[in-house]
């Protein structure tokens, strides 16, 4: 049997107890990577997720409950990864939240939270992961941005600012390491039906007095001309490609997978 392509690699995925992050974790585990989960949730369910993932893919797993709004907790998570697993080879900055309101109505504390989780946490994890990656001269940093890292939408000032910001951080990180074995790229998904988007579907159904299915159709057709959701599995497959040797010259890209959203 062929050795899985990411055997021996340690992957830390922020916000991987749900949605896209979980899809990333499963795709990287399927290629043999050790997985360090992070994110919120019921401790028993998270322990079971770790156990089940380990058994399904025959990989080691770990977990950090670090809150991505808290730099001290991020630092502890990264230090624990070094102590327990020898460092992080694949860093997926995925944790993210949304808040929808026009600028003048946007609660300042929600602005701060969105920027902290979606953008600043990636600065901290990246700065703390790079020294060990440099020692090994190998690393993959994958930032989960969004179609909103490339174009805007009304009502999403903090989210769009954070996602444009992370595309900028991606380019600079890529360039600072451009002659090393460390690459940094962003993935820019369109709509993916995760808990983050389900909340927006529910809000739309309530506001427009339509069914959940109708709200999903409207949400998609407004932005995503394919009329279909992107899936966590498809995004996971792109992350696996970005970790491969074939992608070693993909550097500083903001790669959209969005059913045609930003092609319009
Ligand atoms: P989700 O709500 O399903 O998952 C978010 C994850 O982040 C969860 O594991 C949650 O526990 C974790 N998290 C939230 N706050 C945290 C904190 N303070 N500290 C640590 N972990 C925290 O969301 P999702 O849709 O899977 O989104 C994942 C990423 O993908 C986000 O960055 C989001 O902006 C991005 N994205 C999502 C879509 C979409 O359509 N769902 C589209 C483009 C980009």
């Amino acid at each position: 049997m062929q050795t899985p392509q990411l055997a021996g690699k340690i992957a830390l995925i922020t916000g991987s107890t749900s949605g896209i992050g979980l899809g990333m974790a499963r795709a990287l585990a399927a290629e043999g990577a050790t997985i360090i989960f992070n994110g919120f949730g019921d401790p028993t369910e998270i322990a079971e997720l770790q156990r089940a993932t380990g058994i399904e893919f025959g990989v080691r797993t770990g977990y950090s409950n670090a809150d991505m709004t808290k730099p001290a907790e991020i630092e502890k998570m990264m230090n624990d990864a070094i102590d327990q697993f020898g460092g992080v080879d694949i860093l997926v900055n995925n944790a993210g939240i949304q808040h929808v309101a026009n600028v003048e109505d946007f609660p300042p504390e929600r602005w701060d939270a969105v920027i902290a989780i979606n953008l600043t946490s990636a600065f901290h994890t990246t700065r703390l992961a790079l020294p060990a990656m440099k020692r090994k001269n190998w690393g993959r940093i994958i930032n989960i941005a969004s179609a909103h890292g490339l174009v805007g939408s009304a009502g999403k000032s903090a989210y769009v600012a954070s996602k444009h910001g992370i595309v900028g951080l991606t380019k600079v990180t890529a360039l600072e390491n451009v002659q090393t074995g460390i690459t940094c790229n962003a993935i820019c998904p369109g709509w993916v039906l995760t808990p983050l988007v389900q909340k927006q579907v529910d809000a739309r159904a309530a506001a427009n007095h339509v069914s959940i299915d109708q709200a999903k159709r409207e949400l998609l057709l407004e932005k995503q001309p394919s009329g279909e959701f992107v899936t966590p599995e498809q995004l996971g497959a792109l992350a696996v490609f970005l970790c491969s040797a074939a992608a070693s010259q993909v550097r500083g890209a903001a790669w959209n997978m969005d059913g045609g959203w930003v092609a319009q």
Side-chain angles (χ1 to χ4, degrees):
M1 203 178 87
Q2 232 184 344
T3 311
Q5 63 164 319
L6 298 178
K9 303 294 188 203
I10 314 299
L12 186 152
I13 306 104
T14 68
S16 43
T17 52
S18 158
I20 294 171
L22 182 54
M24 296 278 150
R26 290 182 55 77
L28 296 171
E31 296 298 329
T34 294
I35 302 298
I36 306 175
F37 288 98
N38 158 257
F40 298 148
D42 176 72
T44 313
E45 283 175 20
I46 293 171
E48 175 54 23
L49 173 65
Q50 263 186 269
R51 194 192 65 82
T53 307
I55 290 173
E56 182 175 354
F57 300 109
V59 297
R60 289 192 299 162
T61 63
Y63 168 68
S64 161
N65 65 359
D67 180 339
M68 292 300 112
T69 62
K70 302 204 166 102
E73 293 190 18
I74 297 173
E75 193 146 352
K76 182 174 183 313
M77 173 178 79
M78 299 306 287
N79 287 338
D80 287 351
I82 292 172
D83 293 347
Q84 290 170 23
F85 297 101
V88 172
D89 304 303
I90 299 166
L91 170 64
V92 184
N93 289 309
N94 165 79
I97 59 166
Q98 174 65 283
H99 186 86
V100 182
N102 285 345
V103 173
E104 68 273 28
D105 302 321
F106 213 94
E109 65 281 4
R110 296 315 296 158
W111 171 278
D112 287 344
V114 171
I115 299 294
I117 298 172
N118 295 14
L119 177 58
T120 309
S121 74
F123 159 68
H124 288 299
T125 54
T126 300
R127 74 180 173 80
L128 295 163
L130 276 169
M133 288 180 176
K134 282 185 172 167
R135 279 195 294 278
K136 294 182 188 173
N137 195 31
W138 197 92
R140 293 287 186 267
I141 301 171
I142 300 173
N143 292 326
I144 307 305
S146 167
H148 283 123
L150 303 169
V151 296
S153 289
K156 298 189 172 172
S157 54
Y159 189 84
V160 170
S162 71
K163 296 300 185 181
H164 276 67
I166 205 164
V167 168
L169 175 65
T170 301
K171 291 175 181 171
V172 173
T173 306
L175 287 174
E176 288 181 2
N177 295 283
V178 79
Q179 293 188 349
T180 74
I182 304 164
T183 72
C184 179
N185 293 288
I187 295 178
C188 298
W191 292 121
V192 186
L193 193 57
T194 65
L196 181 143
V197 165
Q198 187 65 49
K199 278 187 213 149
Q200 295 174 63
V201 169
D202 295 346
R204 178 183 281 259
N208 297 355
H209 307 290
V210 295
S211 68
I212 296 287
D213 277 350
Q214 180 63 18
K216 277 184 197 163
R217 274 192 295 277
E218 287 175 15
L219 185 95
L220 282 169
L221 286 174
E222 200 176 87
K223 300 280 183 187
Q224 196 150 305
S226 69
E228 289 180 22
F229 287 103
V230 180
T231 69
E233 291 73 20
Q234 290 167 336
L235 293 164
L238 178 53
V240 167
F241 171 69
L242 289 174
C243 290
S244 71
S248 65
Q249 290 308 318
V250 182
R251 289 172 185 262
W255 192 316
N256 50 305
M257 185 186 273
D258 61 2
W261 184 324
V262 306
Q264 298 167 99

